[in-house]
């Protein structure tokens, strides 16, 4: 018999990689997709099966984390062996603008899933993974952060996830449920949403070198993040639910990098050297020189003239709109418990992650330019 998994947030970055992984392992994957005016299934289109096909291993259901009845109906119908609760309003900056909605989806949404399992008497059958986050550490009380580090949330997003973290533990203890938290540090990929910092940078780099964007406006360049690849992190989610006992795990690489260094590394990958000067809102990043051989190999000779004209220009600028009312300055994880108990280790280094993201963004931007020039309206 194939195992049945339900993934909330299946259309997101992690949902897509996790679906791919579980399908490869022989699961029948069900996903909850909220209704939107556009289809929004780009990240899982390669896995999608026509609903009229008999033996589907990916099935989508319309639903929403704010709708308990809908969640209960879906869970009742499919009787999952495992639920991966990935759905969230996951953007920290946006959570300051939509705090109530963020609390509803991320906090109460988690409660709705747990309560459905209890009401449907699936507590002995269904295992739950809760997508907890390193944002819980916020104003970090110790470095590196591990499972025992006290939490200090610094945003409505982190506060909503704190509730979700504790309600998951409470249901585990109160009802003997197999409910686990993965406290995942930042993980990125070519599937990362365009407004998260890494993807914003790799996408802007592609647009700048291909001549359709002049400058990249950023927020706080000094914060540090422990970045891994989402492909590695969904492996950890799966492993957490395969253990004998439910537990909570930190998943991280153990290396932290500033946003400024991420930008420097990313530009350098295609032969561009930047120099940062000035402070705070006046800080800028200027192109100081170009390794033409690397640029030609990575981007193409066709675009050399565009980038030559930008040498000596400031391409990185600061806009205070991107600052947060309260910032998380340093996240650095200690995943020793996961290494020892789950035998999980990341395969991707930061360099490999950046290569993957740049390659895909250059391809995508070239495709965009091509269609933009040939389409007629
Ligand atoms: P993501 O790309 O933003 O995906 C979020 C998913 O949740 C999307 O499928 C989204 O649907 C769905 N969603 C949002 N609101 C919903 C609602 N009201 N009802 C149903 N679905 C809803 O996030 P991600 O990076 O894959 O992260 C997955 C989870 O891990 C999230 O819970 C996030 O908070 C957590 N997390 C992420 C990281 C990280 O670095 N990526 C680290 C730690 C924890 P649409 O496609 O329709 O928007
Ligand atoms: O990429 P970010 O928006 O990610 P953040 O806030 O760390 O949150 C992500 O990781 C969490 C895990 O720790 C997840 F729980 C959460 O769902 C999400 O996936 O910002 C990273 C850093 C911040 O310090 C931010 O202030 O980059 C800084 N930053 C500087 N300029 C910027 C920008 N962030 C964004 N999004 N856009 C900027 O222009």
């Amino acid at each position: 018999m194939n195992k049945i998994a339900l993934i909330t947030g299946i259309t997101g970055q992690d949902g897509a990689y996790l679906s791919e992984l579980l399908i490869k392992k022989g699961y029948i994957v069900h996903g909850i997709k909220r209704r939107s005016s556009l289809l929004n299934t780009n990240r899982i289109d390669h896995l999608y099966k026509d609903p009229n096909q008999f033996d589907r291993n990916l099935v989508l259901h319309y639903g929403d984390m704010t709708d308990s009845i809908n969640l209960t109906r879906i869970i009742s119908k499919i009787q999952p062996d495992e639920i991966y609760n990935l759905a969230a309003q996951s953007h920290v900056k946006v959570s300051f603008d939509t705090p109530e909605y963020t609390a509803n989806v991320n906090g109460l949404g988690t409660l709705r899933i747990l309560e459905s399992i209890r009401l449907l008497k699936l507590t002995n059958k269904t295992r739950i993974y809760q997508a907890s986050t390193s944002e819980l550490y916020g104003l970090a009380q110790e470095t590196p952060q591990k499972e025992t580090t006290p939490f200090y949330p610094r945003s409505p997003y982190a506060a909503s996830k704190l509730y979700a973290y504790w309600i998951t533990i409470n249901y585990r203890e109160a009802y003997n449920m197999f409910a686990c938290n993965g406290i995942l540090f930042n993980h990125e990929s070519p599937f990362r949403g365009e407004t998260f910092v890494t993807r914003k940078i790799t996408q802007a780099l592609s647009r700048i070198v291909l001549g359709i964007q002049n400058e990249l406006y950023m927020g706080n360049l000094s914060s540090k993040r422990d970045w891994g690849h989402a492909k590695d992190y969904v492996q950890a989610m799966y492993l957490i639910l395969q253990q004998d006992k439910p537990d909570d795990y930190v998943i991280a690489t153990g290396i932290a990098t500033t946003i400024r260094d991420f930008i420097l590394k990313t530009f350098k990958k295609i032969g561009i050297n930047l120099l940062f000067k000035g402070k705070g809102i006046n800080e800028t990043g200027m192109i100081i020189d170009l390794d033409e051989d690397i640029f030609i190999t990575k981007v193409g000779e066709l675009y050399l003239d565009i980038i030559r004209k930008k040498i000596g220009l400031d391409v990185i600028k600061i806009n205070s709109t991107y600052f947060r009312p309260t910032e998380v300055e340093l996240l650095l994880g200690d995943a020793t418990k996961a290494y020892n108990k789950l035998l999980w280790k990341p395969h991707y280094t930061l360099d490999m992650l950046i290569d993957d993201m740049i390659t895909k963004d250059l391809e995508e931007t070239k495709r965009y330019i091509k269609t933009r020039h040939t389409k007629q309206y």
Side-chain angles (χ1 to χ4, degrees):
M1 284 286 284
N2 301 87
K3 273 195 179 176
I4 294 173
L6 173 64
I7 303 178
T8 72
I10 194 164
T11 55
Q13 170 189 255
D14 292 2
Y17 284 117
L18 182 65
S19 304
E20 208 172 290
L21 176 76
L22 295 180
I23 287 172
K24 269 196 198 129
K25 291 189 180 293
Y27 280 64
I28 308 289
V29 173
H30 292 256
I32 296 181
K33 185 208 150 356
R34 58 182 169 163
R35 145 79 192 155
S36 55
S37 64
L38 290 172
L39 253 185
N40 185 30
T41 50
N42 309 9
R43 294 180 175 116
I44 48 170
D45 278 346
H46 59 297
L47 304 170
Y48 187 69
K49 296 274 160 50
D50 187 317
N52 304 305
Q53 200 174 312
F54 173 64
D55 58 344
R56 283 188 294 164
N57 50 16
L58 181 74
V59 185
L60 295 184
H61 305 261
Y62 278 112
D64 199 290
M65 294 304 288
T66 59
D67 184 342
S68 317
I69 298 173
N70 153 274
L71 294 173
T72 307
R73 185 163 34 75
I74 295 169
I75 295 170
S76 166
K77 186 173 169 195
I78 68 177
Q79 305 268 312
D81 298 294
E82 294 168 11
I83 296 181
Y84 294 86
N85 184 32
L86 309 185
Q89 190 304 92
S90 72
H91 203 284
V92 173
K93 174 71 164 51
V94 173
S95 78
F96 288 97
D97 302 326
T98 61
E100 183 184 336
Y101 177 71
T102 302
N104 192 2
V105 174
N106 303 4
L108 293 180
T110 305
L111 173 68
R112 291 181 184 111
I113 298 273
L114 291 161
E115 195 52 8
S116 292
I117 292 175
R118 187 167 79 97
L119 287 173
L120 294 168
K121 303 199 183 335
L122 291 171
T123 46
N124 290 331
K125 173 181 169 74
T126 308
R127 296 182 168 203
I128 305 182
Y129 171 87
Q130 169 55 22
S132 285
T133 163
S134 50
E135 277 290 307
L136 294 172
Y137 299 118
L139 189 63
Q141 302 294 293
E142 68 174 343
T143 299
Q145 296 93 43
K146 52 182 185 285
E147 290 80 2
T148 50
T149 304
F151 297 138
Y152 193 135
R154 291 273 279 175
S155 63
Y157 167 79
S160 72
K161 286 282 185 175
L162 185 71
Y163 176 80
Y165 171 89
W166 280 116
I167 200 68
T168 300
I169 293 181
N170 181 248
Y171 271 59
R172 176 163 87 213
E173 293 174 352
Y175 308 117
N176 208 20
M177 283 170 65
F178 199 107
C180 310
N181 287 288
I183 308 170
L184 272 51
F185 281 64
N186 298 49
H187 45 280
E188 321 292 312
S189 74
F191 277 169
R192 187 59 145 152
E194 289 97 332
T195 60
F196 294 96
V197 78
T198 55
R199 183 77 199 287
K200 179 171 167 178
I201 294 164
T202 59
Q203 195 175 58
L205 171 70
S206 310
R207 290 178 175 173
I208 289 169
V209 299
L210 298 179
I212 58 168
Q213 183 172 330
N214 291 326
E215 290 146 344
L216 166 60
Y217 284 91
M218 300 292 304
N220 176 17
L221 299 182
S222 300
S223 57
K224 287 185 170 181
R225 289 293 181 273
D226 177 335
W227 283 297
H229 197 300
K231 256 191 190 174
D232 284 334
Y233 285 50
V234 299
Q235 292 270 0
M237 295 177 187
Y238 165 76
L239 289 171
I240 287 172
L241 289 199
Q242 311 314 311
Q243 302 306 300
D244 293 337
K245 287 192 180 141
D247 206 346
D248 310 313
Y249 298 87
V250 159
I251 302 297
T253 69
I255 299 169
T257 309
T258 61
I259 313 300
R260 191 178 292 101
D261 283 344
F262 186 93
I263 297 175
L264 287 168
K265 269 178 183 291
T266 304
F267 277 69
K268 188 142 186 113
K269 285 270 177 199
I270 58 169
I272 300 171
N273 281 316
L274 288 181
L275 175 72
F276 279 99
K277 49 193 168 40
K279 279 216 155 79
I281 191 80
N282 297 317
E283 184 167 0
T284 55
M286 182 175 73
I287 299 186
I288 50 168
D289 65 66
L290 177 69
D291 183 322
E292 295 201 348
D293 292 338
I294 298 181
F295 187 86
I296 290 168
T297 314
K298 298 273 173 153
V299 186
E301 198 161 2
L302 196 61
Y303 304 97
L304 206 47
D305 273 350
I306 296 171
I307 196 67
R308 278 187 186 139
K309 288 188 189 132
K310 292 189 193 286
I311 297 174
L313 299 183
D314 288 331
V315 287
I316 311 290
K317 293 185 178 168
I318 305 295
N319 184 333
S320 58
T321 353
Y322 300 114
F323 291 154
R324 293 158 188 202
T326 39
E327 176 61 281
V328 172
E329 292 293 347
L330 168 65
L331 291 176
L332 172 64
D334 173 357
T336 307
K337 180 174 170 184
Y339 298 165
N340 292 338
K341 294 205 168 170
L342 305 176
L343 305 180
W344 175 86
K345 267 207 165 74
H347 160 74
Y348 280 86
T349 61
L350 184 60
D351 271 314
M352 289 158 77
L353 168 69
I354 296 175
D355 279 336
D356 194 17
M357 293 179 75
I358 296 178
T359 307
K360 303 276 170 33
D361 270 327
L362 281 169
E363 282 168 15
E364 194 174 287
T365 311
K366 283 179 183 170
R367 253 195 323 271
Y368 166 74
I369 291 171
K370 211 169 162 190
T371 50
R372 194 186 59 154
H373 286 313
T374 53
K375 261 188 190 163
Q376 291 188 27
Y377 295 98

